[in-house]
Amino acid sequence: MINEEKKALRKIFIKKRQNLSSEERKAKDEKISEIIINGYFFNSCDTLLAYYPIKNEIDMLPVIEAALKSNIKVALPISYENGIMEFRYITSLENLATGRYNIPEPDKNSELFTGSTSSLCIVPALSYDPYGFRLGYGGGYYDRFLASFKGKTVGAVYSDFVSHMLPHDQNDIPVSTLITEGGVINCRNE
């Protein structure tokens, strides 16, 4: 039942995101990046776990660049067939290879992120709710990773993509904070 609800919602939010004009998306993305870069979580982390944006996802490249310039370590995900995702460090956005799902990713031989309580993970999604639960693409990669992650989690989402309540089950791991173009939302899960 939950999977069917999520599947239907995915179609709605993918279509809604596709209907945003490139100008509207760019303005919202810039504001979200600005809020993240100027925020406490970003400025107090030693490692940024981010994602390379695809399929009209919120553009995190300015945040990644700002972290690299600020000497904050940056790691991007690598996804494997078995539903496992790991983060590996990068030193620039120039040397990424096309990986699974055609997503640019770090070299599989680069240093592995093994954990840090001072790290910040920016988690992509189609939608979030005020409790920090997300609607992703359905692979469960982030939920598996976040189950043992000890740092701070932030969901980047457009304000009109924050749902009243999303369907979720015991395997879904909520984030603690949402960043929208309108500001910061502390989730009600803690």
Side-chain angles (χ1 to χ4, degrees):
M1 179 79 169
I2 287 178
N3 285 339
E4 291 305 313
E5 285 180 77
K6 286 183 176 182
K7 194 174 183 180
L9 286 170
R10 271 186 203 100
K11 288 180 182 177
I12 291 167
F13 283 107
I14 287 170
K15 180 88 169 147
K16 187 175 179 178
R17 196 160 68 183
Q18 288 171 341
N19 287 337
L20 290 173
S21 71
S22 57
E23 296 81 19
E24 185 179 10
R25 192 170 31 253
K26 184 175 189 287
K28 290 180 178 203
D29 289 359
E30 286 174 357
K31 187 63 180 165
I32 290 169
S33 290
E34 177 186 321
I35 292 168
I36 292 171
I37 291 166
N38 292 321
Y40 169 76
F41 303 133
F42 179 83
N43 289 294
S44 63
C45 75
D46 61 13
T47 303
L48 173 70
L49 307 182
Y51 62 89
Y52 197 100
I54 60 162
K55 299 180 184 175
N56 298 322
E57 289 177 325
I58 294 173
D59 185 3
M60 284 295 116
L61 299 182
V63 176
I64 293 169
E65 292 286 0
L68 291 169
K69 288 177 184 166
S70 299
N71 294 319
I72 296 171
K73 290 182 176 181
V74 176
L76 296 180
I78 297 176
S79 300
Y80 295 97
E81 274 185 44
N82 56 4
I84 301 299
M85 179 177 71
E86 64 185 15
F87 281 81
R88 293 199 173 260
Y89 290 104
I90 64 167
T91 55
S92 91
L93 289 166
E94 303 301 315
N95 301 322
L96 303 178
T98 302
R100 190 167 180 76
Y101 307 113
N102 291 319
I103 301 171
E105 59 186 34
D107 184 305
K108 288 177 175 47
N109 295 317
S110 62
E111 183 184 353
L112 177 67
F113 170 79
T114 56
S116 163
T117 56
S118 299
S119 56
L120 172 64
C121 184
I122 301 175
V123 184
L126 293 165
S127 176
Y128 277 98
D129 69 18
Y131 301 92
F133 289 105
R134 64 189 282 276
L135 179 68
Y137 290 109
Y141 287 92
Y142 271 91
D143 292 315
R144 284 184 204 87
F145 175 78
L146 293 176
S148 61
F149 179 68
K150 303 294 185 223
K152 186 74 175 163
T153 53
V154 168
V157 61
Y158 300 134
S159 59
D160 52 345
F161 284 61
V162 176
S163 301
H164 174 67
M165 183 180 282
L166 291 171
H168 62 275
D169 61 30
Q170 72 277 5
N171 296 319
D172 293 320
I173 308 292
V175 299
S176 57
T177 306
L178 301 180
I179 308 290
T180 75
E181 72 279 8
V184 177
I185 300 170
N186 292 312
C187 297
R188 298 181 231 159
N189 61 26
E190 295 185 335

